[in-house]
Amino acid sequence: MVVFTGARRKATGEIQIVRNNKDTGGDSWYFTASPQGEAGERQEVFRRFDPRTRPWYKSAEHAVEPTFTGVYRHFVFLEPTITAAHPVRDAEGKLIGVFGVDYLLSWLGDMLRGIPVGVSGQIFITDADGFLVAATSLKAPFEEQSGQFARIRAVESDNPVLKLAAQSLPGNTGDYSREITLYDRSYLVDVRGFHEAGIDWKIYVVLARDDFFGGIQKAVDRTAVVTVLAIIMALFVAIWTSEWITRPILRLNEAANELAEGRLQSVPDTERQDELGQLTRAFNKMACQLTELVESLEARVTERTKALAEKTSEEQQVRKILHAELAKAGREQKAMLPTDIDDAQLHLQIIYEPYMLVSGDFCGYRWMKGESVLFGYIIDVNGHGVATALQTAAINVMIQETLQSNLSLSERMAEINHRVARYFKDDLLVAACFFELDFKEKELRYVAAGITEFFANSIAYAGRNKTPGSFLGISDQTEFEICTMPIHEGDCFCFYSDGIAEQIMEGRQFPLGATFGELVQSVNNIAAVGVRRDDVTAMCIRIGSLA
């Protein structure tokens, strides 16, 4: 059973309630509506009305979401109409109902006619097939032909401007603007598409050029005449006043030039009571004050220059002394490094370059357990300068103290971490790497704290080896993990600070399969670049005989 329920607004503004169900026998009954929206007296009846035959219902049958119908003729109002149709489907997708709202397009034409487009301008809208939807130049966008509703195609309209505008670019599907000419008059045509929920319209705005630019041209002509007259009058006034005004100004200019060269020259126009007279008197007073001030300043500048020269000389002497002391401290710091090793068992070469005269990096080694185990370390304290160098020296002393005890690598790193957290500030970052080369066990053991990697060119591993571990001093509860790697005769390793690590991350690489000399040369090349931004420290090692 078809059920149709709705409401409509009559031309008088009155609201009617519409019902079509079993009780109406398939007819549509129209009732008056109470203020509360209840049906009252029946006013009209439309026989045998089946809403399923209407365009809005047929559009919704094939739609999965709300859509607009094309333009059709309303069966009651007999006007072009579009309907917003909303299909309602059950869980299986079957259509169970349609909500629809009719829009009479007569209101659209009335609205367009209220837009100011000049005396000869017009606005019209066409659908995707080129038929008129609304037009300001037409009373209705359709014709009655033998009692039938016939829509008007824009390119066949009786209005010549509308027809030419529609023909201007018939194959263009996008927005465009162009100029057309009809009967020696120019029109500007702007076309914009409107696409929304099934609506595919084109909106044409046609403006007559002379409607808008004709008045502007007249205004421009009048403005030009007024401007010329104003210029002529201004020239006469300027000639008349220039003599009276410029003479004292020229005298003031001459006196100002003399004053700039150090010679005081008073201006005679002090009796005038106008602004120039006031300016002259003020200038004479200022000139006298400036002359006195310059004389006073010259004396003070002489005294200040002498005092400044003496102070500058003292500061230069102090800077020389400080530089010499820092250079001496840097030499002493470098002298504390252990010597390189070059024997049958081990080749070890240290690369050490401070960014400033003193370094925040340090490294060292010590033979342990009867020279069967080589303990080595690298320290990297963030920052540069004297304070950082002192902190590095203090940590180096801490490491030397831990060597007096028989501690493992992780225990030794944990002890240094405890001391750094206790004695240094929270904002200090200390990175370190401890390693042991055990020639008896043929094993490399290492622990890292903030040193992110080292390089290996060995049988067991080739390339940059990542070393996990947080910076020292961040937490007293940090645990440090010992990592191991087997060693063989001819294996090469390079431990380094972030002055080299940063260069490697930027693209510079160590050579794989190279000799020990080539590895050392590569590290030196990278260090020469890295030292421009940070301290550089590296320990290059080659394993010799393991017998």
Side-chain angles (χ1 to χ4, degrees):
M1 177 62 190
V2 177
V3 177
F4 174 67
T5 303
R8 72 168 184 176
R9 185 187 301 275
K10 299 175 65 176
T12 59
E14 179 185 355
I15 302 297
Q16 288 183 322
I17 294 175
V18 185
R19 291 178 180 172
N20 187 331
N21 51 33
K22 181 175 65 176
D23 295 335
T24 66
D27 298 335
S28 291
W29 292 2
Y30 288 75
F31 301 87
T32 60
S34 68
Q36 291 75 28
E38 298 176 351
E41 178 184 356
R42 187 176 71 181
Q43 293 182 319
E44 297 178 81
V45 176
F46 287 87
R47 300 293 182 183
R48 298 295 181 266
F49 175 73
D50 188 350
R52 294 172 297 179
T53 64
R54 302 303 297 163
W56 55 270
Y57 188 91
K58 292 181 177 180
S59 296
E61 279 186 313
H62 306 289
V64 296
E65 58 185 16
T67 185
F68 279 92
T69 67
V71 179
Y72 67 94
R73 190 184 194 189
H74 197 278
F75 78 100
V76 176
F77 295 102
L78 306 180
E79 290 188 17
T81 304
I82 61 171
T83 299
H86 190 303
V88 179
R89 300 181 183 275
D90 59 16
E92 298 177 353
K94 181 179 179 182
L95 183 69
I96 59 176
V98 176
F99 289 100
V101 178
D102 296 338
Y103 295 92
L104 302 180
L105 294 182
S106 57
W107 69 269
L108 182 57
D110 295 339
M111 184 194 69
L112 295 180
R113 280 186 281 272
I115 300 175
V117 289
V119 177
S120 303
Q122 56 181 278
I123 304 174
F124 63 94
I125 301 173
T126 65
D127 62 14
D129 297 323
F131 288 100
L132 288 173
V133 176
T136 59
S137 60
L138 301 178
K139 184 177 180 180
F142 66 93
E143 296 176 337
E144 289 282 349
Q145 295 180 358
S146 301
Q148 296 296 320
F149 169 75
R151 298 182 60 197
I152 301 174
R153 191 179 294 274
V155 295
E156 299 173 356
S157 172
D158 293 335
N159 186 290
V161 175
L162 188 154
K163 181 177 180 180
L164 182 60
Q167 293 174 342
S168 57
L169 281 175
N172 192 300
T173 58
D175 299 343
Y176 65 91
S177 299
R178 64 166 298 174
E179 185 172 351
I180 61 175
T181 302
L182 181 66
Y183 306 134
D184 297 328
R185 292 189 69 183
S186 293
Y187 297 86
L188 302 177
V189 181
D190 185 80
V191 182
R192 293 290 180 267
F194 179 78
H195 311 282
E196 184 70 32
I199 292 180
D200 186 8
W201 290 354
K202 285 185 179 180
I203 303 172
Y204 291 75
V205 179
V206 184
L207 304 177
R209 177 179 288 275
D210 52 10
D211 282 352
F212 291 89
F213 295 101
I216 295 174
Q217 186 61 46
K218 292 179 181 178
V220 169
D221 295 340
R222 287 195 297 269
T223 302
V225 172
V226 172
T227 301
V228 170
L229 293 176
I231 291 174
I232 294 173
M233 292 181 63
L235 287 174
F236 279 112
V237 173
I239 294 172
W240 179 74
T241 57
S242 62
E243 183 66 20
W244 182 70
I245 294 176
T246 57
R247 185 180 295 112
I249 292 176
L250 291 174
R251 283 198 291 264
L252 275 172
N253 181 62
E254 182 181 355
N257 291 331
E258 291 290 327
L259 182 62
E261 295 179 2
R263 297 186 296 273
L264 176 61
Q265 177 180 327
S266 298
V267 183
D269 297 310
T270 57
E271 301 302 323
R272 295 179 59 145
Q273 298 304 314
D274 57 6
E275 288 79 2
L276 284 174
Q278 295 176 10
L279 179 61
T280 299
R281 290 188 291 273
F283 175 83
N284 288 336
K285 182 178 180 181
M286 179 195 68
C288 293
Q289 292 175 344
L290 281 176
T291 302
E292 295 174 358
L293 179 61
V294 168
E295 292 174 353
S296 173
L297 284 175
E298 287 177 350
R300 293 172 63 184
V301 167
T302 301
E303 296 176 1
R304 286 290 184 90
T305 302
K306 182 178 179 181
L308 182 60
E310 294 174 355
K311 186 176 181 180
T312 302
S313 177
E314 293 175 359
E315 291 178 348
Q316 290 177 347
Q317 186 64 26
V318 170
R319 284 197 294 269
K320 289 180 180 179
I321 295 172
L322 289 175
H323 187 275
E325 291 297 324
L326 284 176
K328 182 178 178 182
R331 291 193 297 272
E332 293 295 331
Q333 190 180 37
K334 195 168 187 177
M336 294 172 62
L337 293 170
T339 59
D340 296 342
I341 300 175
D342 187 9
D343 57 31
Q345 186 180 23
L346 182 70
H347 296 276
L348 185 149
Q349 187 166 340
I350 295 175
I351 292 113
Y352 179 84
E353 292 294 337
Y355 170 67
M356 301 176 69
L357 295 175
V358 291
S359 176
D361 290 0
F362 201 76
C363 68
Y365 64 83
R366 178 181 289 189
W367 286 103
M368 305 177 69
K369 298 182 180 181
E371 297 192 357
S372 65
V373 176
L374 178 72
F375 168 76
Y377 62 93
I378 287 182
I379 312 167
D380 185 357
V381 179
N382 72 309
H384 311 288
V386 176
T388 304
L390 291 173
Q391 293 164 342
T392 302
I395 296 172
N396 186 48
V397 172
M398 295 178 187
I399 295 174
Q400 299 302 321
E401 290 177 350
T402 63
L403 295 177
Q404 306 304 318
S405 303
N406 187 22
L407 300 176
S408 67
L409 283 179
S410 60
E411 292 171 340
R412 187 169 289 124
M413 186 68 80
E415 176 64 20
I416 297 300
N417 178 62
H418 173 72
R419 295 191 183 190
V420 169
R422 179 179 177 185
Y423 294 111
F424 292 96
K425 297 179 180 179
D426 295 337
D427 59 351
L428 179 69
L429 289 179
V430 179
C433 180
F434 294 172
F435 65 90
E436 288 180 346
L437 286 171
D438 193 328
F439 288 86
K440 184 177 181 181
E441 300 294 333
K442 299 181 181 180
E443 183 180 61
L444 167 66
R445 298 182 289 272
Y446 57 91
V447 173
I451 298 290
T452 59
E453 62 181 46
F454 70 89
F455 177 76
N457 191 4
S458 67
I459 296 176
Y461 186 87
R464 294 159 57 192
N465 187 31
K466 299 300 179 180
T467 55
S470 63
F471 288 94
L472 296 175
I474 294 179
S475 171
D476 198 30
Q477 304 300 320
T478 303
E479 296 183 358
F480 299 95
E481 178 185 357
I482 298 178
C483 300
T484 62
M485 181 184 299
I487 59 175
H488 306 82
E489 292 185 3
D491 287 352
C492 294
F493 303 94
C494 183
F495 297 88
Y496 43 83
S497 64
D498 62 356
I500 289 180
E502 290 173 357
Q503 296 302 312
I504 295 175
M505 287 187 289
E506 292 181 3
R508 295 178 175 84
Q509 299 293 331
F510 290 135
L512 292 174
T515 65
F516 181 69
E518 292 171 340
L519 174 62
V520 172
Q521 182 60 46
S522 174
V523 176
N524 275 310
N525 294 339
I526 295 174
V529 179
V531 77
R532 299 173 187 171
R533 296 190 300 185
D534 198 359
D535 301 320
V536 170
T537 302
M539 298 177 69
C540 296
I541 299 171
R542 180 183 182 277
I543 306 299
S545 173
L546 292 175

